[in-house]
Amino acid sequence: MTKVEEIVSHLPIQPLDEPIPVGQLYFPDWCDYEQAMRGIFEREYYNNNGPLVTALESQLENFLNVKHAICVSNATHGLMIAAQAMELTGKVILPAHTFIASAQSLLWCGLTPVFCDVQKDGHHIDSTKLEALITDDVSAIMAVNLWGGAADIDALEKIASKHDIKLYFDSAQAFGCEYQGKKVGGFGDLEVFSLHATKVLSAGEGGLICTNNDELANKIRSIRPSYGNFEKVAIEKVANSRMSEAQAAVALLNLKSYKDYQRNNENIYNLYSKRLSSIPGISIVNPEGVTLSNFQSLVCSVDEEKFGCSRDDLLNILKHFSVLARRYFYPGVHKTVDFEHYGYKLPNTDRLSNVAIQLPIGAQVEKDVVNFICDVIAQTHEKSLCHG
Ligand code: T4K
Protein backbone atom coordinates (compact mmCIF):
# COMPACT_ATOMS: atom_id res chain seq x y z
CA MET A 1 0.00 0.00 0.00
CA THR A 2 1.29 3.47 -0.81
CA LYS A 3 1.28 6.18 1.86
CA VAL A 4 -1.62 7.92 0.09
CA GLU A 5 -3.67 4.68 -0.02
CA GLU A 6 -2.86 4.03 3.63
CA ILE A 7 -4.00 7.51 4.74
CA VAL A 8 -7.11 7.48 2.53
CA SER A 9 -8.16 4.10 3.91
CA HIS A 10 -8.05 5.51 7.46
CA LEU A 11 -10.00 8.71 6.79
CA PRO A 12 -13.63 8.35 7.92
CA ILE A 13 -14.88 10.68 5.14
CA GLN A 14 -16.99 10.04 2.03
CA PRO A 15 -15.94 11.78 -1.24
CA LEU A 16 -18.09 14.66 -2.49
CA ASP A 17 -20.88 13.64 -4.88
CA GLU A 18 -19.57 15.96 -7.61
CA PRO A 19 -15.89 16.79 -8.24
CA ILE A 20 -15.10 20.38 -7.37
CA PRO A 21 -12.70 22.32 -9.64
CA VAL A 22 -10.31 25.04 -8.48
CA GLY A 23 -11.71 27.76 -10.74
CA GLN A 24 -14.21 30.54 -10.13
CA LEU A 25 -17.04 29.84 -12.65
CA TYR A 26 -19.10 32.94 -11.84
CA PHE A 27 -21.80 33.10 -14.49
CA PRO A 28 -24.89 35.31 -14.81
CA ASP A 29 -28.45 34.29 -14.16
CA TRP A 30 -29.72 32.25 -17.13
CA CYS A 31 -32.82 34.45 -17.73
CA ASP A 32 -30.69 37.60 -17.90
CA TYR A 33 -28.33 35.91 -20.33
CA GLU A 34 -31.22 34.64 -22.45
CA GLN A 35 -32.59 38.17 -22.68
CA ALA A 36 -29.18 39.54 -23.67
CA MET A 37 -28.80 36.83 -26.33
CA ARG A 38 -32.28 37.59 -27.69
CA GLY A 39 -31.17 41.20 -28.11
CA ILE A 40 -28.15 40.08 -30.12
CA PHE A 41 -30.31 37.90 -32.39
CA GLU A 42 -32.86 40.68 -32.87
CA ARG A 43 -30.15 43.18 -33.81
CA GLU A 44 -28.49 40.56 -36.04
CA TYR A 45 -25.15 41.96 -35.03
CA TYR A 46 -22.92 39.27 -33.58
CA ASN A 47 -19.35 40.50 -33.87
CA ASN A 48 -16.94 43.25 -35.02
CA ASN A 49 -17.16 45.78 -32.18
CA GLY A 50 -20.91 45.56 -31.70
CA PRO A 51 -22.92 47.57 -29.17
CA LEU A 52 -22.29 45.14 -26.27
CA VAL A 53 -18.51 45.13 -26.75
CA THR A 54 -18.58 48.93 -27.01
CA ALA A 55 -20.69 49.19 -23.83
CA LEU A 56 -18.41 46.73 -22.02
CA GLU A 57 -15.30 48.72 -22.95
CA SER A 58 -16.85 51.94 -21.73
CA GLN A 59 -18.06 50.41 -18.44
CA LEU A 60 -14.65 48.83 -17.85
CA GLU A 61 -12.93 52.18 -18.46
CA ASN A 62 -15.12 53.67 -15.71
CA PHE A 63 -14.74 50.74 -13.35
CA LEU A 64 -10.95 50.59 -13.70
CA ASN A 65 -10.51 54.33 -14.09
CA VAL A 66 -8.40 53.99 -17.26
CA LYS A 67 -8.60 55.91 -20.55
CA HIS A 68 -8.72 52.84 -22.78
CA ALA A 69 -10.07 49.35 -22.07
CA ILE A 70 -9.84 47.26 -25.24
CA CYS A 71 -11.55 43.87 -25.34
CA VAL A 72 -9.77 40.98 -27.05
CA SER A 73 -10.37 37.26 -27.48
CA ASN A 74 -8.29 36.21 -24.43
CA ALA A 75 -5.32 37.36 -22.34
CA THR A 76 -2.80 35.28 -24.29
CA HIS A 77 -3.69 37.20 -27.46
CA GLY A 78 -3.78 40.36 -25.37
CA LEU A 79 -0.16 39.84 -24.31
CA MET A 80 0.88 39.11 -27.91
CA ILE A 81 -0.83 42.25 -29.18
CA ALA A 82 0.67 44.26 -26.31
CA ALA A 83 4.24 43.25 -27.19
CA GLN A 84 3.57 44.05 -30.85
CA ALA A 85 1.95 47.42 -30.11
CA MET A 86 4.83 48.53 -27.86
CA GLU A 87 7.25 47.48 -30.65
CA LEU A 88 9.33 45.43 -28.21
CA THR A 89 12.62 44.04 -29.44
CA GLY A 90 15.26 41.61 -28.16
CA LYS A 91 14.66 40.46 -24.61
CA VAL A 92 11.86 40.88 -22.09
CA ILE A 93 12.32 40.15 -18.36
CA LEU A 94 9.53 38.30 -16.57
CA PRO A 95 9.08 35.87 -13.68
CA ALA A 96 9.05 32.11 -14.31
CA HIS A 97 6.46 31.64 -11.56
CA THR A 98 3.57 32.29 -13.94
CA PHE A 99 1.21 30.64 -16.42
CA ILE A 100 3.00 29.46 -19.55
CA ALA A 101 1.04 32.00 -21.65
CA SER A 102 3.09 34.92 -20.25
CA ALA A 103 6.28 33.53 -21.81
CA GLN A 104 4.60 32.04 -24.90
CA SER A 105 3.27 35.47 -25.87
CA LEU A 106 6.88 36.62 -26.19
CA LEU A 107 7.97 33.65 -28.30
CA TRP A 108 5.07 34.36 -30.67
CA CYS A 109 6.47 37.85 -31.17
CA GLY A 110 10.03 36.63 -31.78
CA LEU A 111 11.18 37.97 -28.40
CA THR A 112 13.45 36.22 -25.90
CA PRO A 113 12.14 35.77 -22.36
CA VAL A 114 14.66 36.37 -19.57
CA PHE A 115 13.46 34.88 -16.30
CA CYS A 116 13.86 36.67 -12.98
CA ASP A 117 13.34 34.88 -9.67
CA VAL A 118 10.46 35.76 -7.34
CA GLN A 119 10.81 37.29 -3.88
CA LYS A 120 12.14 35.07 -1.09
CA ASP A 121 8.94 35.45 0.90
CA GLY A 122 6.48 36.09 -1.91
CA HIS A 123 5.10 35.02 -5.27
CA HIS A 124 5.96 38.12 -7.32
CA ILE A 125 8.98 39.20 -9.35
CA ASP A 126 11.91 40.19 -7.12
CA SER A 127 12.61 43.81 -8.06
CA THR A 128 15.96 43.68 -6.23
CA LYS A 129 17.21 41.07 -8.73
CA LEU A 130 15.97 42.90 -11.82
CA GLU A 131 18.66 45.45 -12.51
CA ALA A 132 21.37 42.79 -12.80
CA LEU A 133 19.37 41.32 -15.72
CA ILE A 134 18.93 44.56 -17.67
CA THR A 135 21.29 44.54 -20.64
CA ASP A 136 21.26 46.74 -23.78
CA ASP A 137 18.97 44.33 -25.64
CA VAL A 138 16.27 44.25 -22.93
CA SER A 139 13.31 46.31 -24.13
CA ALA A 140 10.78 45.65 -21.37
CA ILE A 141 9.79 44.16 -18.03
CA MET A 142 6.60 42.11 -17.91
CA ALA A 143 5.53 41.82 -14.26
CA VAL A 144 2.83 39.29 -13.36
CA ASN A 145 0.19 40.00 -10.70
CA LEU A 146 -0.76 36.70 -9.10
CA TRP A 147 -3.45 35.13 -6.91
CA GLY A 148 -5.32 38.38 -6.24
CA GLY A 149 -2.12 40.16 -5.24
CA ALA A 150 0.24 42.52 -7.04
CA ALA A 151 3.94 42.93 -7.66
CA ASP A 152 5.93 45.78 -6.11
CA ILE A 153 4.66 48.27 -8.70
CA ASP A 154 6.41 51.33 -7.24
CA ALA A 155 9.83 49.69 -7.38
CA LEU A 156 9.19 48.35 -10.90
CA GLU A 157 8.13 51.75 -12.22
CA LYS A 158 11.30 53.34 -10.83
CA ILE A 159 13.55 50.69 -12.43
CA ALA A 160 11.79 50.85 -15.83
CA SER A 161 11.98 54.62 -15.89
CA LYS A 162 15.65 54.67 -14.81
CA HIS A 163 16.59 52.31 -17.67
CA ASP A 164 14.12 53.83 -20.13
CA ILE A 165 12.48 50.50 -20.92
CA LYS A 166 8.80 49.56 -21.14
CA LEU A 167 6.94 48.14 -18.16
CA TYR A 168 3.73 46.19 -18.57
CA PHE A 169 1.69 43.87 -16.43
CA ASP A 170 0.25 40.45 -17.01
CA SER A 171 -2.74 41.15 -14.78
CA ALA A 172 -4.66 38.13 -16.09
CA GLN A 173 -5.61 37.27 -12.50
CA ALA A 174 -5.88 40.76 -11.04
CA PHE A 175 -9.20 42.19 -12.20
CA GLY A 176 -10.68 44.45 -9.50
CA CYS A 177 -7.58 44.44 -7.25
CA GLU A 178 -6.35 47.74 -5.84
CA TYR A 179 -2.75 48.82 -5.30
CA GLN A 180 -2.37 51.68 -2.84
CA GLY A 181 -6.09 52.34 -3.16
CA LYS A 182 -5.97 52.56 -6.97
CA LYS A 183 -7.49 49.93 -9.28
CA VAL A 184 -4.92 47.77 -11.06
CA GLY A 185 -5.26 48.50 -14.81
CA GLY A 186 -3.58 51.87 -15.28
CA PHE A 187 -0.04 51.02 -14.17
CA GLY A 188 3.02 50.84 -16.42
CA ASP A 189 2.59 51.25 -20.16
CA LEU A 190 -0.33 48.85 -20.23
CA GLU A 191 -1.96 45.95 -18.42
CA VAL A 192 -3.60 42.79 -19.74
CA PHE A 193 -6.48 40.99 -17.96
CA SER A 194 -8.03 37.59 -18.60
CA LEU A 195 -11.81 37.18 -18.72
CA HIS A 196 -11.58 33.38 -18.97
CA ALA A 197 -14.32 31.24 -17.37
CA THR A 198 -12.10 30.61 -14.35
CA LYS A 199 -11.55 34.32 -13.65
CA VAL A 200 -13.45 36.41 -11.14
CA LEU A 201 -14.78 38.56 -13.99
CA SER A 202 -15.59 36.17 -16.82
CA ALA A 203 -16.74 36.49 -20.41
CA GLY A 204 -16.55 32.69 -20.74
CA GLU A 205 -13.45 33.36 -22.83
CA GLY A 206 -12.00 36.83 -23.22
CA GLY A 207 -9.29 39.33 -22.45
CA LEU A 208 -8.75 43.03 -21.94
CA ILE A 209 -5.88 45.43 -22.60
CA CYS A 210 -5.85 48.67 -20.60
CA THR A 211 -3.71 51.75 -21.15
CA ASN A 212 -3.76 55.48 -20.52
CA ASN A 213 -1.66 56.11 -23.64
CA ASP A 214 -3.77 57.25 -26.64
CA GLU A 215 -1.19 56.36 -29.27
CA LEU A 216 -0.68 52.89 -27.84
CA ALA A 217 -4.45 52.37 -27.66
CA ASN A 218 -4.79 53.24 -31.36
CA LYS A 219 -2.10 50.73 -32.22
CA ILE A 220 -3.68 48.02 -30.10
CA ARG A 221 -7.04 48.60 -31.78
CA SER A 222 -5.55 48.35 -35.25
CA ILE A 223 -3.68 45.14 -34.42
CA ARG A 224 -6.76 43.58 -32.79
CA PRO A 225 -8.72 44.89 -35.27
CA SER A 226 -12.45 45.14 -36.02
CA TYR A 227 -11.66 45.17 -39.78
CA GLY A 228 -13.90 47.20 -42.06
CA ASN A 229 -11.07 49.60 -42.82
CA PHE A 230 -8.62 47.64 -44.94
CA GLU A 231 -6.40 50.60 -45.74
CA LYS A 232 -5.67 51.12 -42.04
CA VAL A 233 -5.34 47.41 -41.28
CA ALA A 234 -2.74 46.98 -43.98
CA ILE A 235 -0.17 49.10 -42.11
CA GLU A 236 -0.17 46.86 -39.00
CA LYS A 237 0.26 43.15 -38.42
CA VAL A 238 -3.24 42.02 -37.55
CA ALA A 239 -4.15 39.38 -34.98
CA ASN A 240 -7.94 39.06 -35.42
CA SER A 241 -8.50 38.93 -31.70
CA ARG A 242 -11.97 40.33 -31.45
CA MET A 243 -14.39 39.67 -28.63
CA SER A 244 -17.85 38.56 -29.80
CA GLU A 245 -21.16 40.07 -28.67
CA ALA A 246 -22.08 36.81 -26.88
CA GLN A 247 -18.88 36.99 -24.79
CA ALA A 248 -19.47 40.68 -24.02
CA ALA A 249 -23.02 39.85 -22.87
CA VAL A 250 -21.63 37.45 -20.22
CA ALA A 251 -19.00 39.95 -19.08
CA LEU A 252 -21.47 42.86 -18.88
CA LEU A 253 -23.83 40.87 -16.68
CA ASN A 254 -20.95 39.60 -14.54
CA LEU A 255 -19.57 43.12 -14.14
CA LYS A 256 -22.90 44.16 -12.57
CA SER A 257 -22.45 41.44 -9.94
CA TYR A 258 -18.70 41.82 -9.54
CA LYS A 259 -18.84 43.29 -6.01
CA ASP A 260 -20.95 40.33 -4.83
CA TYR A 261 -18.45 37.91 -6.38
CA GLN A 262 -15.55 39.69 -4.70
CA ARG A 263 -17.32 39.63 -1.31
CA ASN A 264 -18.22 35.96 -1.71
CA ASN A 265 -14.59 35.14 -2.48
CA GLU A 266 -13.42 37.16 0.51
CA ASN A 267 -15.77 35.23 2.83
CA ILE A 268 -14.53 31.92 1.45
CA TYR A 269 -10.94 33.08 1.87
CA ASN A 270 -11.61 34.14 5.49
CA LEU A 271 -13.14 30.77 6.33
CA TYR A 272 -10.21 28.86 4.79
CA SER A 273 -7.80 31.16 6.58
CA LYS A 274 -9.45 30.52 9.96
CA ARG A 275 -9.62 26.74 9.49
CA LEU A 276 -6.20 26.21 7.92
CA SER A 277 -4.31 28.38 10.41
CA SER A 278 -4.57 25.64 13.04
CA ILE A 279 -3.09 22.91 10.81
CA PRO A 280 0.69 22.55 11.26
CA GLY A 281 2.65 22.84 8.03
CA ILE A 282 -0.10 24.56 6.01
CA SER A 283 0.33 28.30 5.31
CA ILE A 284 -2.22 30.24 3.32
CA VAL A 285 -0.80 32.84 0.90
CA ASN A 286 -2.28 36.23 1.80
CA PRO A 287 -2.93 38.51 -1.21
CA GLU A 288 0.40 40.31 -1.59
CA GLY A 289 0.94 44.04 -2.02
CA VAL A 290 -2.71 45.05 -2.57
CA THR A 291 -5.08 47.22 -0.57
CA LEU A 292 -8.06 45.31 -2.02
CA SER A 293 -7.97 41.78 -3.43
CA ASN A 294 -10.35 39.93 -5.75
CA PHE A 295 -9.29 36.67 -4.02
CA GLN A 296 -8.90 35.13 -7.47
CA SER A 297 -7.04 32.12 -6.10
CA LEU A 298 -6.62 30.32 -2.81
CA VAL A 299 -3.02 29.20 -2.62
CA CYS A 300 -1.29 27.48 0.31
CA SER A 301 2.15 26.10 0.86
CA VAL A 302 2.74 22.68 2.35
CA ASP A 303 5.73 22.18 4.64
CA GLU A 304 6.17 18.41 4.34
CA GLU A 305 8.11 18.02 7.57
CA LYS A 306 5.55 19.83 9.73
CA PHE A 307 2.46 18.64 7.87
CA GLY A 308 3.47 15.00 7.69
CA CYS A 309 3.07 14.36 3.98
CA SER A 310 4.16 16.03 0.78
CA ARG A 311 2.24 18.56 -1.32
CA ASP A 312 1.81 15.95 -4.07
CA ASP A 313 0.50 13.32 -1.65
CA LEU A 314 -1.99 15.86 -0.30
CA LEU A 315 -3.06 16.65 -3.87
CA ASN A 316 -3.77 12.96 -4.52
CA ILE A 317 -5.63 12.55 -1.23
CA LEU A 318 -7.84 15.56 -2.06
CA LYS A 319 -8.43 14.13 -5.52
CA HIS A 320 -9.62 10.88 -3.96
CA PHE A 321 -12.27 12.94 -2.15
CA SER A 322 -13.26 14.70 -5.45
CA VAL A 323 -11.44 17.95 -4.63
CA LEU A 324 -9.54 18.88 -7.80
CA ALA A 325 -6.82 21.00 -6.23
CA ARG A 326 -3.92 22.02 -8.50
CA ARG A 327 -0.22 22.66 -8.17
CA TYR A 328 -0.06 25.95 -10.01
CA PHE A 329 2.57 26.61 -11.21
CA TYR A 330 4.39 23.36 -11.71
CA PRO A 331 7.00 23.32 -13.05
CA GLY A 332 8.21 26.94 -13.19
CA VAL A 333 8.13 28.13 -16.80
CA HIS A 334 11.98 28.05 -16.90
CA LYS A 335 11.78 24.26 -16.44
CA THR A 336 9.34 23.66 -19.32
CA VAL A 337 10.54 22.17 -22.62
CA ASP A 338 11.02 25.48 -24.41
CA PHE A 339 13.31 26.87 -21.73
CA GLU A 340 14.92 24.10 -19.64
CA HIS A 341 18.06 24.01 -21.81
CA TYR A 342 18.98 27.54 -20.63
CA GLY A 343 19.69 26.05 -17.17
CA TYR A 344 18.16 28.91 -15.17
CA LYS A 345 18.81 28.84 -11.41
CA LEU A 346 15.74 30.31 -9.73
CA PRO A 347 15.71 28.89 -6.18
CA ASN A 348 12.64 30.76 -4.92
CA THR A 349 10.60 29.82 -7.99
CA ASP A 350 11.68 26.18 -7.66
CA ARG A 351 10.76 26.12 -3.97
CA LEU A 352 7.27 27.48 -4.69
CA SER A 353 6.68 25.01 -7.50
CA ASN A 354 7.33 22.20 -5.00
CA VAL A 355 5.17 23.42 -2.12
CA ALA A 356 2.28 25.48 -3.54
CA ILE A 357 -1.20 24.02 -3.82
CA GLN A 358 -4.30 25.79 -5.12
CA LEU A 359 -7.63 24.99 -3.46
CA PRO A 360 -11.12 25.67 -4.87
CA ILE A 361 -12.55 29.17 -4.51
CA GLY A 362 -15.44 30.86 -6.30
CA ALA A 363 -19.11 30.50 -7.11
CA GLN A 364 -19.38 26.75 -6.63
CA VAL A 365 -17.62 26.71 -3.25
CA GLU A 366 -20.22 26.78 -0.46
CA LYS A 367 -19.26 27.11 3.21
CA ASP A 368 -19.75 23.38 3.83
CA VAL A 369 -17.40 22.58 0.90
CA VAL A 370 -14.66 24.71 2.51
CA ASN A 371 -15.24 22.90 5.80
CA PHE A 372 -15.13 19.55 4.00
CA ILE A 373 -11.81 20.41 2.29
CA CYS A 374 -10.31 21.67 5.56
CA ASP A 375 -11.50 18.50 7.37
CA VAL A 376 -9.74 16.35 4.76
CA ILE A 377 -6.54 18.39 5.14
CA ALA A 378 -6.69 18.39 8.97
CA GLN A 379 -7.33 14.65 9.15
CA THR A 380 -4.64 13.96 6.55
CA HIS A 381 -2.21 15.72 8.90
CA GLU A 382 -3.33 13.64 11.88
CA LYS A 383 -3.20 10.34 9.98
CA SER A 384 0.17 11.25 8.40
CA LEU A 385 1.68 11.46 11.86
CA CYS A 386 0.45 7.90 12.59
CA HIS A 387 1.45 6.48 9.17
CA GLY A 388 4.65 8.43 8.53
N1 T4K B 1 -1.24 35.01 -17.56
C1 T4K B 1 -1.57 34.46 -16.38
C2 T4K B 1 -0.81 34.84 -15.15
C3 T4K B 1 -2.63 33.54 -16.30
O1 T4K B 1 -2.95 32.98 -15.11
C4 T4K B 1 -3.33 33.21 -17.49
C5 T4K B 1 -4.39 32.23 -17.45
C6 T4K B 1 -2.97 33.84 -18.70
C7 T4K B 1 -1.90 34.74 -18.70
C8 T4K B 1 -3.68 33.56 -19.99
O2 T4K B 1 -5.05 33.94 -19.90
P1 T4K B 1 -6.12 33.37 -21.00
O3 T4K B 1 -5.43 33.38 -22.35
O4 T4K B 1 -6.55 32.01 -20.55
O5 T4K B 1 -7.25 34.38 -20.97
C9 T4K B 1 -6.47 27.87 -16.31
C10 T4K B 1 -7.18 28.92 -17.17
O6 T4K B 1 -7.57 28.35 -18.41
C11 T4K B 1 -6.28 30.09 -17.45
O7 T4K B 1 -7.10 31.15 -17.91
C12 T4K B 1 -5.56 30.53 -16.18
N2 T4K B 1 -4.64 31.58 -16.40
C13 T4K B 1 -4.79 29.36 -15.57
C14 T4K B 1 -4.07 29.75 -14.32
O8 T4K B 1 -5.72 28.35 -15.26
P2 T4K B 1 -5.84 25.53 -17.07
O9 T4K B 1 -5.38 24.99 -18.35
O10 T4K B 1 -5.19 25.05 -15.83
O11 T4K B 1 -7.46 25.47 -16.95
P3 T4K B 1 -8.48 24.36 -17.02
O12 T4K B 1 -9.19 24.49 -18.30
O13 T4K B 1 -7.85 23.08 -16.67
O14 T4K B 1 -9.50 24.78 -15.86
C15 T4K B 1 -9.20 24.79 -14.47
C16 T4K B 1 -10.28 24.06 -13.71
O15 T4K B 1 -11.54 24.65 -13.90
C17 T4K B 1 -10.43 22.59 -14.07
O16 T4K B 1 -10.56 21.88 -12.85
C18 T4K B 1 -11.75 22.51 -14.84
C19 T4K B 1 -12.51 23.71 -14.34
N3 T4K B 1 -13.36 24.31 -15.36
C20 T4K B 1 -12.77 25.01 -16.38
C21 T4K B 1 -13.53 25.57 -17.36
C22 T4K B 1 -12.89 26.32 -18.50
C23 T4K B 1 -14.72 24.16 -15.30
O17 T4K B 1 -15.23 23.49 -14.38
N4 T4K B 1 -15.50 24.74 -16.27
C24 T4K B 1 -14.96 25.45 -17.28
O18 T4K B 1 -15.70 25.98 -18.15
O19 T4K B 1 -5.71 27.08 -17.14
Side-chain angles (χ1 to χ4, degrees), residues 35-81:
Q35 198 182 336
M37 284 306 288
R38 191 167 295 123
I40 296 173
F41 276 64
E42 281 167 8
R43 281 190 295 279
E44 294 188 354
Y45 201 95
Y46 304 98
N47 210 343
N48 292 31
N49 252 358
L52 296 186
V53 169
T54 310
L56 178 62
E57 290 186 342
S58 143
Q59 288 186 26
L60 288 169
E61 282 159 6
N62 285 334
F63 185 89
L64 297 171
N65 197 19
V66 286
K67 269 178 101 176
H68 305 278
I70 302 162
C71 290
V72 289
S73 51
N74 54 55
T76 307
H77 274 205
L79 290 166
M80 287 154 54
I81 293 172

Side-chain angles (χ1 to χ4, degrees), residues 239-252:
N240 190 2
S241 292
R242 292 177 298 243
M243 177 181 278
S244 73
E245 288 289 276
Q247 289 166 290
V250 175
L252 273 168

Side-chain angles (χ1 to χ4, degrees), residues 79-328:
L79 290 166
M80 287 154 54
I81 293 172
Q84 204 72 41
M86 288 186 287
E87 299 179 9
L88 302 186
T89 55
K91 297 176 178 169
V92 174
I93 305 175
L94 77 165
H97 184 55
T98 183
F99 195 54
I100 186 81
S102 316
Q104 287 292 347
S105 70
L106 300 174
L107 294 186
W108 265 94
C109 297
L111 297 161
T112 305
V114 173
F115 296 110
C116 180
D117 209 354
V118 288
Q119 304 136 329
K120 192 160 181 283
D121 302 313
H123 286 239
H124 292 90
I125 194 163
D126 185 349
S127 55
T128 65
K129 295 210 174 104
L130 259 175
E131 288 199 90
L133 299 172
I134 301 177
T135 49
D136 286 348
D137 48 358
V138 166
S139 59
I141 299 165
M142 179 208 295
V144 182
N145 293 322
L146 282 184
W147 318 138
D152 185 353
I153 298 178
D154 271 354
L156 295 170
E157 286 187 333
K158 281 190 193 117
I159 294 168
S161 140
K162 178 175 161 194
H163 293 271
D164 195 21
I165 55 177
K166 303 279 186 205
L167 169 67
Y168 66 118
F169 292 87
D170 176 342
S171 293
Q173 304 188 0
F175 185 86
C177 293
E178 291 181 10
Y179 179 82
Q180 296 178 3
K182 202 175 142 196
K183 282 258 162 16
V184 166
F187 293 104
D189 290 278
L190 58 80
E191 301 202 39
V192 178
F193 295 96
S194 171
L195 305 182
H196 181 257
T198 54
K199 296 295 178 290
V200 66
L201 180 75
S202 156
E205 172 82 357
L208 179 70
I209 311 176
C210 293
T211 180
N212 287 315
N213 180 323
D214 297 339
E215 200 185 323
L216 203 48
N218 284 340
K219 278 195 123 167
I220 292 164
R221 287 200 177 93
S222 49
I223 297 172
R224 175 185 57 175
S226 57
Y227 287 119
N229 180 350
F230 289 98
E231 276 169 43
K232 192 159 178 229
V233 166
I235 58 166
E236 299 282 2
K237 270 191 180 171
V238 293
N240 190 2
S241 292
R242 292 177 298 243
M243 177 181 278
S244 73
E245 288 289 276
Q247 289 166 290
V250 175
L252 273 168
L253 290 167
N254 276 337
L255 187 58
K256 266 195 204 162
S257 305
Y258 172 77
K259 283 207 174 84
D260 295 335
Y261 299 166
Q262 188 276 344
R263 257 184 244 121
N264 188 48
N265 274 1
E266 188 162 7
N267 291 337
I268 299 170
Y269 167 87
N270 286 336
L271 180 56
Y272 268 119
S273 184
K274 195 168 143 217
R275 289 284 324 267
L276 294 175
S277 63
S278 60
I279 306 176
I282 300 288
S283 315
I284 195 163
V285 175
N286 299 313
E288 291 166 6
V290 288
T291 44
L292 179 72
S293 176
N294 59 12
F295 300 95
Q296 168 64 51
S297 306
L298 198 295
V299 177
C300 302
S301 65
V302 182
D303 178 332
E304 182 173 352
E305 215 167 289
K306 291 188 187 142
F307 181 64
C309 78
S310 69
R311 184 273 312 268
D312 288 352
D313 282 351
L314 176 59
L315 203 72
N316 286 324
I317 291 166
L318 287 166
K319 192 171 169 202
H320 173 87
F321 291 100
S322 305
V323 178
L324 307 181
R326 288 275 183 107
R327 47 182 192 178
Y328 291 115

Side-chain angles (χ1 to χ4, degrees), residues 20 22 50 69 76 82 91 170 183 235 267 287 340 353 363 370 375 381:
I20 184 134
V22 288
T76 307
K91 297 176 178 169
D170 176 342
K183 282 258 162 16
I235 58 166
N267 291 337
E340 62 186 344
S353 73
V370 178
D375 287 346
H381 165 65

